[in-house]
C-alpha cells in the first residue's frame, strides 16, 4: 500500500479545543476583527492584489447577509494559517509549510471552538455568584 505524503501530514495535525471564554460570541466578534486586521496587514506586504483575504471572502460569501461572524473568523484563521503560515491563537508564525503541517511546531494545531461556550460561561458565573445557574 502506497500512502500519499500529504496523508501522513494530515494525520499528524493536532486539534485543540479552545476554552469557553475564547469560544464565546463576544470573543468571536473581537477575534474576527483582529484576524481581519492582521491578514490585511500581512496581505499588503506579501500578497498581490486580487489574491488577498478580502477577495476570498467576496468569493466565498454572496452577500453581507450571508456572512456570519464565526464563518468569517474561521475563513480568516484558516487563511492566516495556510497563506501566511501564522497561527492566530498561538500568535506565532512558521518559516515553511512543513512546520505548520508536521504537528511539531506551535503553528501546527488546528483550533476548534467549544460548543455552547456562552451557556457554559453563564453556568460558571451563576455558580461563582452563589446564585442558581441559568440555562
Amino acid at each position: 500500500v502506497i500512502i500519499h505524503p500529504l496523508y501522513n501530514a494530515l494525520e499528524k495535525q493536532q486539534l485543540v479545543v479552545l476554552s469557553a471564554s475564547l469560544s464565546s460570541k463576544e470573543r468571536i466578534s473581537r477575534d474576527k476583527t483582529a484576524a481581519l486586521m492582521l491578514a490585511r496587514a500581512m496581505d499588503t506586504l506579501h500578497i498581490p492584489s486580487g489574491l488577498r483575504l478580502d477577495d476570498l471572502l467576496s468569493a466565498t460569501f454572496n452577500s453581507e447577509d450571508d456572512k456570519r461572524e464565526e464563518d468569517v473568523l474561521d475563513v480568516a484563521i484558516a487563511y492566516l494559517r495556510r497563506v501566511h503560515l501564522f497561527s492566530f491563537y498561538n500568535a506565532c508564525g512558521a518559516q515553511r509549510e512543513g512546520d505548520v503541517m508536521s504537528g511539531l511546531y506551535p503553528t501546527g494545531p488546528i483550533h476548534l471552538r467549544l460548543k455552547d461556550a456562552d451557556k457554559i460561561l453563564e453556568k460558571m458565573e451563576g455558580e461563582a455568584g452563589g446564585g442558581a445557574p441559568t440555562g
Side-chain angles (χ1 to χ4, degrees):
V1 176
I2 298 174
I3 298 176
H4 192 278
L6 181 58
Y7 176 80
N8 289 336
L10 292 174
E11 190 176 62
K12 294 178 184 176
Q13 291 293 281
Q14 180 185 11
L15 299 177
V16 175
V17 178
L18 297 169
S19 69
S21 61
L22 290 178
S23 301
S24 69
K25 289 191 187 325
E26 177 186 332
R27 183 62 187 250
I28 288 170
S29 180
R30 289 195 325 238
D31 285 352
K32 180 197 80 163
T33 300
L36 289 174
M37 286 176 45
L38 182 60
R40 287 171 178 152
M42 291 176 147
D43 280 356
T44 300
L45 296 173
H46 304 289
I47 305 298
S49 183
L51 300 174
R52 297 178 175 174
L53 174 61
D54 287 322
D55 302 307
L56 175 62
L57 291 172
S58 294
T60 303
F61 301 104
N62 295 326
S63 68
E64 286 299 316
D65 296 334
D66 214 15
K67 293 181 185 179
R68 291 184 331 148
E69 281 196 321
E70 63 188 83
D71 293 338
V72 174
L73 174 60
D74 290 343
V75 170
I77 287 173
Y79 178 88
L80 283 166
R81 186 171 186 270
R82 296 295 297 170
V83 174
H84 294 292
L85 307 178
F86 185 84
S87 173
F88 181 77
Y89 286 107
N90 286 346
C92 61
Q95 295 298 315
R96 295 169 294 286
E97 185 177 7
D99 294 345
V100 174
M101 300 301 289
S102 71
L104 301 174
Y105 297 89
T107 53
I110 296 172
H111 294 88
L112 305 173
R113 280 187 295 280
L114 183 62
K115 184 178 179 180
D116 297 326
D118 289 318
K119 290 179 184 177
I120 293 168
L121 290 172
E122 285 177 25
K123 182 179 178 183
M124 289 171 58
E125 287 174 12
E127 290 172 358
T134 57

